[in-house]
Amino acid sequence: MLKESMLPKTGAIAVIDTQWGDTGKGKVVDLLGEWADIIARGTGGANAGHTLVVDGKTYIFHLIPSGILQDVCGTITIIGNGVAFDPKVVCEELAMLDEAGLSYNNLKIANNAHLVLPPHIVVDRVRELIAGKSKIGTTGRGIGPLYTDHVSRCGLKVRDMLNPEQFRTKLIKNLAPKIKYLQSLECDTVREVFQEETLGLSTFWHETNVFDVDAIVEAYVAYGRKLNHMITDTDNLLREAVKEGEKILLEGAQGTLLSIDHGIYPMITSSDSAIAGLAKGVGLSERDVDIVFGIVKAPYMTRVGEGVFPTELGVPEDDSLYPDADINSDDVIEQCVAIRSTGNEFGATTGRPRRIGWLDLPLLRYSLQFGGDKLVLTKVDVLDKCKTIKICTEYIYDGPDYDLGGSILLRNGDIVSVAIGDDWIMSHMKPVYETFPGWVSDTSQIRDADKLPANLKIIIEFIESSVATRVAIVSVGPERDQTIFV
Ligand code: IMP
């Protein structure tokens, strides 16, 4: 089923998302995972979510690599050093794997990954609660505060869980500024977060010190005992694997537009979800990667959380007002609801409805600058019934003069063909669309590129020529075999 000729005989390949996440990377990783000896994840944390369907039952995982289904074939899966490692979530996911009868004998955890601690989750949520309109719309999984500690050089690492005394000493140091910060706020807001039932944080609440140090140490040392046999130097394991010529698949999380370094700042996540961050997050270099597959949901795209979305169709107040929403409706809000429900566009981590818009080529051109050798178009079948497809080809800048440096002045009315990584600037971009007739036929049963409908082929070729990158795979449904190698 897998087209081996498009993959190298040895070496590393990577799957990254070129948009705002949720493009269906999990399926592609699972598919390409057949080729790999090792599958490694290097960025993000429990903010990510991927869905696995086993014997008709659906499981949502956040930290266990999507490639875990290959464990049964002896494939090693790795949670790398760049992942925001929440041991509580991982232990829950291992229990789900047990329940599903799936093995994880070859799962390895980087001993140097940073640990998500209760204070990270509390600070993330409290900040969002008090930010009002300027909130980022985070997933509330402690990601920002965790990476803040990383660069502030006060984080705790996975291996600290195996050394209780070290853990305690570092934890006390780590907590001090957070306690000060939380004590300066409305006590009720802080208590509310601790007591939110689904978070399971109430045991870590201390009436006067905010955090109960003993309770945190006890819980994390217990996680360490449970995970001990999986914790190892995975950076070294991967470096050796590269030398030995093993086949390595790097699994991205989130998307380039959310990258801390290249995303549309500041409405982004806190790790580098582009290829450089992914390679670094497993102890390798970008140069070790032979092919980067860039996933593109097309010809529509989605976003969750706040931030600019130039091609967004609209913001439905309540999807249930459109029980029979028509994907060809003249009312864009109804069309948005129809695409959302056809594509089941609800966040795997938070359940939030995903925002819906048309494919945006200036954003794709921007994001491919940071990696993507071949494109993988996903969820194409979602628009099977759509009679008219719109694709944003460029923007008209509609804002005050803005000096970009290097003698480049952005002026009102300028045509812009490559996005700019700034939320404020992007909020002044008005999309210009090219309209295509839809293919209006069922693609979900097609397995051969030659059999793709003519109108869809025209759109695929248009995307390829607009971003100077070839499409290698088209996904027409969630099942492994609903895949077309081009
Ligand atoms: P955080 O990563 O939880 O701090 O959230 C920062 C931004 O990234 C928010 O807009 C989130 O909705 C978004 N985000 C984080 N992880 C994902 C993901 O896996 N898919 C889509 N959006 C994400």
Side-chain angles (χ1 to χ4, degrees):
M1 142 104 251
L2 191 59
K3 193 171 160 193
E4 298 272 349
S5 61
M6 67 177 212
L7 300 170
K9 292 242 165 349
T10 61
I13 63 171
V15 174
I16 57 155
D17 177 321
T18 63
Q19 298 169 323
W20 275 300
D22 310 316
T23 50
K25 279 183 298 292
K27 169 184 158 170
V28 181
V29 168
D30 177 40
L31 190 74
L32 298 179
E34 271 181 40
W35 163 90
D37 303 312
I38 303 177
I39 302 170
R41 203 182 138 176
T43 48
N47 49 352
H50 41 267
T51 307
L52 295 183
V53 181
V54 186
D55 293 336
K57 204 162 171 211
T58 299
Y59 296 88
I60 294 176
F61 292 95
H62 304 283
L63 278 164
I64 298 289
S66 310
I68 197 72
L69 292 182
Q70 304 295 334
D71 182 273
V72 66
C73 312
T75 308
I76 293 176
T77 49
I78 289 177
I79 301 178
N81 75 67
V83 172
F85 187 84
D86 187 331
K88 174 172 181 279
V89 174
V90 167
C91 288
E92 285 164 3
E93 294 186 359
L94 295 180
M96 281 159 65
L97 290 171
D98 285 335
E99 188 199 310
L102 294 171
S103 67
Y104 49 88
N105 300 326
N106 303 298
L107 174 64
K108 314 245 177 255
I109 298 166
N111 61 6
N112 53 349
H114 276 253
L115 278 178
V116 175
L117 300 162
H120 296 134
I121 297 172
V122 174
V123 170
D124 189 7
R125 290 182 181 247
V126 166
R127 269 199 204 140
E128 286 280 281
L129 276 175
I130 59 181
K133 277 196 175 144
S134 59
K135 71 174 184 184
I136 291 174
T138 74
T139 58
R141 302 299 167 111
I143 303 301
L146 173 287
Y147 288 110
T148 303
D149 280 358
H150 183 159
V151 295
S152 300
R153 297 164 290 191
C154 64
L156 275 73
K157 297 197 177 199
V158 163
R159 57 181 172 240
D160 291 321
M161 292 191 295
L162 310 180
N163 300 282
E165 282 318 308
Q166 278 287 319
F167 186 96
R168 175 183 291 274
T169 311
K170 290 184 183 177
L171 178 68
I172 291 169
K173 207 166 146 205
N174 177 285
L175 287 177
K178 296 181 185 72
I179 292 173
K180 250 193 194 160
Y181 167 65
L182 293 170
Q183 280 174 336
S184 73
L185 302 172
E186 270 280 319
C187 187
D188 284 349
T189 313
V190 179
R191 191 185 285 118
E192 203 179 294
V193 169
F194 268 100
Q195 285 171 355
E196 195 190 313
E197 225 170 281
T198 52
L199 296 180
L201 291 177
S202 55
T203 47
F204 303 125
W205 166 252
H206 192 285
E207 200 57 46
T208 40
N209 300 331
V210 186
F211 293 102
D212 184 330
V213 172
D214 290 337
I216 300 177
V217 174
E218 192 186 323
Y220 277 67
V221 169
Y223 293 135
R225 269 199 299 272
K226 184 167 169 54
L227 301 173
N228 197 346
H229 63 291
M230 302 178 198
I231 298 172
T232 186
D233 182 349
T234 58
D235 289 357
N236 191 46
L237 190 157
L238 276 160
R239 274 193 300 270
E240 290 300 316
V242 168
K243 277 194 217 147
E244 297 294 321
E246 295 200 47
K247 295 185 216 160
I248 301 162
L249 168 58
L250 305 189
E251 169 181 338
Q254 283 80 47
T256 301
L257 301 176
L258 287 172
S259 156
I260 185 72
D261 296 315
H262 310 300
I264 310 300
Y265 197 86
M267 310 309 262
I268 51 176
T269 189
S270 299
S271 66
D272 175 15
S273 25
I275 184 60
L278 173 56
K280 191 169 69 150
V282 297
L284 297 180
S285 142
E286 202 176 337
R287 281 174 310 184
D288 294 316
V289 183
D290 301 295
I291 306 175
V292 178
F293 289 91
I295 315 277
V296 186
K297 193 182 282 185
Y300 74 103
M301 61 191 290
T302 58
R303 173 165 205 179
V304 283
E306 309 304 314
V308 68
F309 189 172
T311 61
E312 184 167 26
L313 279 167
V315 186
E317 255 177 47
D318 180 0
D319 288 20
S320 68
L321 297 175
Y322 301 87
D324 304 308
D326 178 2
I327 208 161
N328 291 306
S329 172
D330 290 335
D331 174 357
V332 285
I333 298 293
E334 180 174 349
Q335 186 174 39
C336 172
V337 173
I339 296 176
R340 187 186 276 163
S341 73
T342 311
N344 192 23
E345 296 293 358
F346 296 89
T349 301
T350 56
R352 289 180 287 184
R354 294 181 186 141
R355 299 157 67 190
I356 309 282
W358 295 110
L359 176 63
D360 182 324
L361 294 177
L363 277 175
L364 184 55
R365 290 188 194 104
Y366 172 77
S367 138
L368 288 173
Q369 295 171 331
F370 309 107
D373 302 312
K374 295 184 178 188
L375 304 183
V376 179
L377 305 188
T378 56
K379 302 197 84 164
V380 169
D381 54 299
V382 172
L383 297 194
D384 274 356
K385 292 190 176 146
C386 203
K387 291 182 185 151
T388 304
I389 306 283
K390 286 166 76 179
I391 295 182
C392 167
T393 53
E394 53 197 15
Y395 310 125
I396 296 174
Y397 178 66
D398 182 19
D401 284 3
Y402 192 94
D403 191 343
L404 290 165
S407 312
I408 302 173
L409 185 65
L410 201 51
R411 287 181 194 277
N412 194 285
D414 278 355
I415 302 287
V416 177
S417 59
V418 182
I420 296 168
D422 181 283
D423 190 78
W424 182 87
I425 299 176
M426 288 296 290
S427 69
H428 293 86
M429 298 296 185
K430 302 284 165 246
V432 176
Y433 292 101
E434 178 126 0
T435 303
F436 296 82
W439 51 93
V440 205
S441 59
D442 179 11
T443 56
S444 66
Q445 304 306 317
I446 299 176
R447 302 290 176 266
D448 180 350
D450 290 340
K451 305 231 165 76
L452 285 170
N455 284 352
L456 177 52
K457 281 188 189 159
I458 290 171
I459 290 173
I460 293 175
E461 281 163 21
F462 181 76
I463 296 171
E464 287 181 318
S465 65
S466 301
V467 299
T469 311
R470 296 301 300 270
V471 171
I473 301 175
V474 178
S475 170
V476 289
E479 300 295 330
R480 254 192 215 182
D481 74 329
Q482 291 179 298
T483 306
I484 301 162
F485 295 96
V486 180

